[in-house]
Amino acid sequence: AQKITQTQPGMFVQEKEAVTLDCTYDTSDPSYGLFWYKQPSSGEMIFLIYQGSYDQQNATEGRYSLNFQKARKSANLVISASQLGDSAMYFCAMREGRDDKIIFGKGTRLHILP
Amino acid sequence: EPEVTQTPSHQVTQMGQEVILRCVPISNHLYFYWYRQILGQKVEFLVSFYNNEISEKSEIFDDQFSVERPDGSNFTLKIRSTKLEDSAMYFCASSVGGGLGEKLFFGSGTQLSVL
């Protein structure tokens, strides 16, 4: 069974609009961490934001925020005021408390339109 | 800013040949990883390495794969006898620690093409 599910294979958004990228996860471990990474067309993987399962507040990093709904097991990434440079593949990922590894979802390709 | 360095950026090999992919993790990092990505799709975990031994590996990481940290700076992935399906982008990553919130820093990847 998939542990990380990203249901939007692709999205098109007008520049300057806010965008929400969906992510749901599945774990029975009470201790886990959730990550979002960006992969532009150049191919590198860029860390964006992190949310721990025990964090009381939603994480924010500049224009990025993570809408963490623990009961629904969702960790959506919100990008405010999107820019052309936000066009990229976005991956949601999780580390469970007992693991070293981070596992990734299949990604969402975001296209920002001028 | 320190970064993870991978060489070569592109490797072409014949099926059945051995390849070694090289990585130099960030110098004060203690945890090392290899991931692969086929055709820009899902990023798949291969192996994690800590304290000079494998700490976790996936089903993909079979006997054809091995990792090594031959000195204090390099971290290598060896594929003994490459198959066509090994063609992928291979990413090396490192992290300071293995804690829950430790983010992984990724290299730029090695694109492996098996002919």
Side-chain angles (χ1 to χ4, degrees):
Chain A
Q2 286 193 68
K3 293 219 170 191
I4 298 286
T5 302
Q6 294 181 253
T7 56
Q8 307 150 310
M11 286 186 70
F12 290 83
V13 173
Q14 208 68 39
E15 189 182 7
K16 298 181 185 175
E17 289 184 355
V19 56
T20 298
L21 305 180
D22 295 342
C23 173
T24 58
Y25 59 91
D26 183 28
T27 180
S28 57
D29 196 324
S31 181
Y32 54 89
L34 298 157
F35 302 78
W36 277 91
Y37 278 82
K38 173 184 178 181
Q39 186 179 41
S41 56
S42 50
E44 70 270 31
M45 297 285 286
I46 302 167
F47 167 78
L48 295 178
I49 197 166
Y50 167 78
Q51 178 87 41
S53 60
Y54 295 117
D55 293 344
Q56 295 296 313
Q57 294 193 331
N58 287 343
T60 60
E61 290 282 353
R63 292 187 300 113
Y64 304 109
S65 60
L66 201 152
N67 184 2
F68 181 46
Q69 298 189 41
K70 195 169 183 176
R72 295 186 179 183
K73 292 189 174 178
S74 81
N76 298 340
L77 177 71
V78 180
I79 306 174
S80 63
S82 57
Q83 302 170 356
L84 295 177
D86 294 332
S87 293
M89 192 78 156
Y90 288 82
F91 291 97
C92 180
M94 177 175 68
R95 173 188 275 129
E96 292 173 299
R98 58 185 176 270
D99 289 344
D100 292 338
K101 69 181 182 292
I102 290 174
I103 55 171
F104 287 82
K106 291 185 177 180
T108 295
R109 188 166 296 281
L110 177 64
H111 304 269
I112 305 298
L113 305 172
Chain B
E1 185 175 328
E3 59 182 24
V4 177
T5 305
Q6 288 187 246
T7 55
S9 57
H10 198 162
Q11 173 98 40
V12 181
T13 189
Q14 294 289 325
M15 188 171 59
Q17 294 295 304
E18 175 184 286
V19 293
I20 297 176
L21 308 183
R22 302 181 190 279
C23 170
V24 179
I26 296 173
S27 61
N28 64 331
H29 286 193
L30 300 177
Y31 287 75
F32 314 115
Y33 309 81
W34 284 100
Y35 285 80
R36 79 175 185 188
Q37 185 180 32
I38 296 175
L39 292 176
Q41 300 304 313
K42 186 175 181 179
V43 179
E44 300 175 299
F45 168 75
L46 295 179
V47 66
S48 59
F49 190 88
Y50 168 70
N51 201 24
N52 283 321
E53 60 183 24
I54 291 173
S55 53
E56 283 187 82
K57 61 181 181 179
S58 70
E59 294 173 351
I60 303 167
F61 194 88
D62 62 21
D63 292 344
Q64 292 299 311
F65 291 87
S66 63
V67 288
E68 193 177 32
R69 187 153 164 83
D71 53 41
S73 60
N74 291 283
F75 180 52
T76 61
L77 175 69
K78 182 193 290 186
I79 309 174
R80 288 191 183 82
S81 178
T82 50
K83 306 183 185 79
L84 295 176
E85 54 265 37
D86 293 328
S87 294
M89 177 72 89
Y90 287 81
F91 288 104
C92 174
S94 68
S95 63
V96 174
L100 202 57
E102 290 287 349
K103 63 185 181 186
L104 270 57
F105 292 79
F106 283 81
S108 299
T110 293
Q111 180 66 52
L112 177 65
S113 299
V114 182
L115 306 178

